[in-house]
Amino acid sequence: MRDTRFDVWAPLANTMRLVANGETYPMRSSDEHWWRPVNLPEELQTAEVDYGYLIDDDPTPYPDPRSRRQPAGVHGLSRTFDASAYEWGDQEWRGRQLAGSVIYELHIGTFTPDGTLDAAIDKLDHLVDLGVDFVEPLPVNAFNGDAGWGYDGVYWYAVHEPYGGPAAYQRFVDACHQRGLGVIQDVVYNHLGPAGNYLGKFGPYVSSRHQTDWGDGINLDGFDSDQVRRYIIDNALMWCTDFHVDGLRLDAVHALVDTRAKHILEDLADEIHARSAFLGRPLTLIAESDMNAPRLFTAQSVGGYGLDGQWSDDFHHAAHVSLTREADGYYEDFAETEGHGLEALKKVLTRGFFHDGALSTFRRRHHGRSLPPGTNAWRLVVSTQNHDQIGNRARGDRLSESLPSEQLAVGATLLMCSPFTPMLFMGEEWGATTPFQFFSSHPEPELAEATSKGRISEFARMGWDVAEVPDPKDVETFRRSRLDWMELDYPEHQHLLHCYRALIRLRRTHPELTTPWLRDVSVKYDKDAGWLAFWRGDLQVICNFAATAAEVPVDVDVAWTTYREHGECLFATQDGVRISGDTAHMPPHSAAVFGPITEGPLKD
């Protein structure tokens, strides 16, 4: 194990030397292949040091696999970082549980014009006013170039320097906590990026035995894999301890191929939950997965992995089809059902997964597994937009490009009133018109060109007009993806923002919207009229997806006497919603929430 700042695991090396502040020092190996410097001056153990390792006869010093800083980029020397030097101001922070929460996903580089962690702090009050509970930054680990999504990171322990480095990240988390916001950090443990990945010179971090969409998989179960697993677990603990984060979103867990009796996700859950007990605050693990496999968040005592939740694409796909009527690619499964997506939406709202062992025509096979009875619905994190579903479209276009704000508000109502954990993507709350496109900035011309050609060929295979595909290496692709905060000055954006604020506040004032039981959700819809209604306890949510007005039955009972006398509703996206007897008149592209009024209707 690593005991000092320069210890390094390198079972593939015959000799190792440390280069620190321009001087070279010999290293000695332990039986476990951990190398330690010999005769190292005392001042190098405490001072800030730029350093690297000389492996065998290679004259090039390579960065530390556990580097905390890469100030000169992924090819440069590492720099030490003392995480304990920061004076935290979040002593009163007791954490947030996932249940009942709202997540806000953001990309540090495009969230603000400056694209830094410190600039993001200046926008946190906007999120507080919105009412969200967690911010979820896309990966911030060190990756090649200045601009990118972060999923091709190669130094998992270092914070990307153009974002501000590790000290700025501590300031960002601290600022979130002092405002009552939790932080869920997106991390990638399933592959390493194509440039700056020198880990293979030290040890067998990857293995050709397992292949992923990005090349060789991480060595989780082969020779010398114990330390590779430790590399992942120690990194997760670092985020929670040194940087005070409240949870991790685990990217593409299907690519964590592990044939051991105990899966790496089980080990990770064990250690994170143990650290949670020590720190005295909740720590959450959320898997990104489209496998629809409940074992990810099922307790280990009954054969599961013991994570806390997972992203669920089924809600997104059903909602997207209902809002847009798109039926290409993986949307075809949700459009082919009776009701042009409404039947799929009904199934998702009442059963969690649409693909629960049913046939997937897109995959040309059966897919998924049903949720066990009694599963808490908050374990499924859902969205109508996220970085993948926007950025992996050819043009990176948001729903706001094709839908008017009235329809966006219908989507917001559906999302916020669903029984799951809702997640917004930055700018969604005001209907941002800026795209979120796929961008990268590899300094190596060959790699930059290969990335661009690969992106174009990918969409060419799917039949897209490749002329629409932005060039990832073009700096304008990155600049176009920045949020335009000036849009908040326009009335149409302000109205949508007011809707999101009111819906989140509705979740805070009506416990029916955060109850976790799918058994209490019931749904009706009219495929010809284009409306869907669902019940959360005493609350009825109506979404009119159609471009024509609809008359929708409103179920009322004795408890609704006050409501019937006032003839109002708890929330509506448009002023034209009105009640006539037991029927709600829903204007085109409108949504509303009806229920007993105890303190008067909720208005924004």
Side-chain angles (χ1 to χ4, degrees), residues 451-469:
T451 302
S452 296
K453 290 181 177 179
R455 181 75 171 174
I456 291 173
S457 63
E458 176 186 354
F459 284 99
R461 288 193 301 272
M462 295 187 291
W464 287 77
D465 181 0
V466 296
E468 294 185 341
V469 181

Side-chain angles (χ1 to χ4, degrees), residues 266-556:
E266 295 180 70
D267 279 338
L268 188 59
D270 280 349
E271 299 231 18
I272 288 294
H273 293 150
R275 187 58 55 94
S276 171
F278 172 73
L279 296 174
R281 56 185 173 88
L283 297 178
T284 299
L285 291 175
I286 303 171
E288 185 212 7
S289 172
D290 70 348
M291 296 185 294
N292 287 14
R295 66 177 174 271
L296 289 172
F297 49 79
T298 300
Q300 292 183 18
S301 60
V302 290
Y305 290 169
L307 305 180
D308 299 288
Q310 71 150 89
W311 275 27
S312 181
D313 287 339
D314 285 7
F315 176 90
H316 171 272
H317 299 345
H320 189 91
V321 169
S322 299
L323 288 165
T324 69
R325 296 299 175 93
E326 283 191 39
D328 298 329
Y330 46 65
Y331 293 128
E332 72 179 53
D333 286 345
F334 298 82
E336 287 184 354
T337 58
E338 179 186 2
H340 304 291
L342 296 183
E343 175 64 24
L345 199 51
K346 174 183 177 180
K347 183 175 180 180
V348 170
L349 288 169
T350 56
R351 297 170 63 176
F353 288 151
F354 176 74
H355 288 123
D356 54 2
L359 177 66
S360 168
T361 56
F362 171 71
R363 295 177 177 86
R364 296 170 61 185
R365 62 173 175 82
H366 289 77
H367 183 69
R369 187 171 185 172
S370 59
L371 293 175
T375 297
N376 289 326
W378 56 260
R379 294 190 183 278
L380 301 184
V381 176
V382 302
S383 61
T384 53
Q385 302 183 72
N386 60 50
H387 80 274
D388 267 334
Q389 301 300 337
I390 299 171
N392 287 330
R393 295 172 68 84
R395 293 184 293 106
D397 51 307
R398 296 172 180 259
L399 285 176
S400 56
E401 183 171 320
S402 56
L403 299 180
S405 60
E406 293 83 2
Q407 281 177 278
L408 297 177
V410 174
T413 307
L414 176 65
L415 174 67
M416 289 299 168
C417 296
S418 77
F420 313 111
T421 297
M423 184 181 74
L424 310 180
F425 183 65
M426 61 179 195
E428 175 184 344
E429 70 274 21
W430 75 74
T433 62
T434 50
F436 186 72
Q437 299 174 333
F438 179 73
F439 49 84
S440 60
S441 60
H442 297 294
E444 305 85 357
E446 299 83 2
L447 182 55
E449 186 64 24
T451 302
S452 296
K453 290 181 177 179
R455 181 75 171 174
I456 291 173
S457 63
E458 176 186 354
F459 284 99
R461 288 193 301 272
M462 295 187 291
W464 287 77
D465 181 0
V466 296
E468 294 185 341
V469 181
D471 186 350
K473 68 178 184 297
D474 186 347
V475 68
E476 287 303 317
T477 304
F478 167 66
R479 289 172 178 166
R480 279 193 298 270
S481 300
R482 289 174 174 161
L483 285 181
D484 179 7
W485 289 85
M486 297 296 291
E487 290 184 332
L488 284 171
D489 294 335
Y490 294 92
E492 61 270 25
H493 295 293
Q494 278 289 333
H495 173 73
L496 186 60
L497 178 61
H498 290 162
C499 285
Y500 273 97
R501 286 173 177 162
L503 285 163
I504 293 175
R505 193 162 71 250
L506 201 64
R507 289 173 57 87
R508 302 288 180 262
T509 55
H510 289 78
E512 298 95 328
L513 293 179
T514 52
T515 54
W517 303 295
L518 291 173
R519 64 174 182 266
D520 291 343
V521 182
S522 58
V523 179
K524 291 182 180 179
Y525 68 88
D526 186 322
K527 67 176 182 179
D528 296 322
W531 59 261
L532 178 141
F534 62 99
W535 284 258
R536 305 293 314 279
D538 287 337
L539 304 187
Q540 182 179 4
V541 183
I542 298 177
C543 295
N544 182 15
F545 297 98
T548 55
E551 304 297 321
V552 183
V554 176
D555 284 2
V556 294

